[in-house]
Amino acid sequence: MNDPMTILKDDHREAKELLKKLGESKPGKQRQAMVDKLSNALALHMQIEEKLVYPLVEKVEGSEVRHEADIEHDLSRDGVATMREMVSMPGFGAAAEALLGGLTHHIREEENEVFPKLKKKLTRAEWLELGDEVAAAKKAGSKK
Ligand SMILES: [Fe+2]
Ligand SMILES: [Fe+2]
């Protein structure tokens, strides 16, 4: 049995730590490797949320919360794309910080509002089932 919040919060923490390191990184192979890692981790995380978590959020909260999350996810994808383009350019640090700022806002909403509200509206069994689905999707996605 898995708690979905624990898994998603771990992802959030990992992404924020990577972005902080990236903000202070120098151009080179290590930076490129970190950008790849961030890019893969965020893509999988957002895909899992969009496929498994937000459909439930929409059911219990309505479509507005989901719509806002979709927009914020798109902004994050744009931010990652910008970082990829700027990986060996001056200004990369600013791009990393911009994404960190946007992501921090989104993460705060998910952890403080969206997910706790969802947890309240689901039964414990439903919540844990979601956790198992999230864990399985993460395992399957990380192998690629
Ligand atoms: Fe999200
Ligand atoms: Fe998230």
Side-chain angles (χ1 to χ4, degrees):
M1 283 207 274
N2 289 285
D3 185 323
M5 187 102 81
T6 308
I7 302 169
L8 298 170
K9 273 187 176 175
D10 278 349
D11 285 354
H12 292 165
R13 204 171 312 127
E14 191 195 355
K16 287 210 281 191
E17 274 169 21
L18 265 171
L19 271 168
K20 275 181 204 148
K21 280 188 202 156
L22 278 163
E24 294 157 6
S25 67
K26 294 190 175 64
K29 272 187 191 163
Q30 224 183 346
R31 177 192 276 176
Q32 183 66 59
M34 272 197 283
V35 170
D36 290 342
K37 193 177 171 190
L38 175 77
S39 175
N40 290 335
L42 268 185
L44 179 61
H45 176 83
M46 293 193 286
Q47 190 195 342
I48 288 172
E49 286 183 343
E50 286 161 12
K51 263 197 192 163
L52 300 173
V53 182
Y54 278 96
L56 290 174
V57 169
E58 185 168 7
K59 226 190 251 175
V60 300
E61 290 287 324
S63 60
E64 206 177 308
V65 182
R66 184 183 188 173
H67 183 58
E68 186 180 346
D70 280 341
I71 292 171
E72 291 176 0
H73 282 188
D74 284 346
L75 282 173
S76 301
R77 290 187 173 100
D78 290 347
V80 171
T82 304
M83 285 176 69
R84 284 197 163 290
E85 281 164 24
M86 294 180 68
V87 73
S88 49
M89 282 161 65
F92 175 87
E97 276 179 32
L99 179 55
L100 179 60
L103 213 58
T104 301
H105 168 94
H106 175 67
I107 285 171
R108 199 182 299 134
E109 279 180 350
E110 286 189 335
E111 294 188 357
N112 297 341
E113 291 172 40
V114 181
F115 297 164
K117 270 188 193 164
L118 178 65
K119 185 179 179 181
K120 247 188 221 168
K121 299 236 170 125
L122 297 183
T123 64
R124 185 165 165 73
E126 287 168 336
W127 178 250
L128 293 175
E129 194 188 320
L130 174 63
D132 288 346
E133 284 172 12
V134 168
K138 208 183 156 182
K139 211 173 161 192
S142 316
K143 274 189 212 149
K144 278 178 211 159

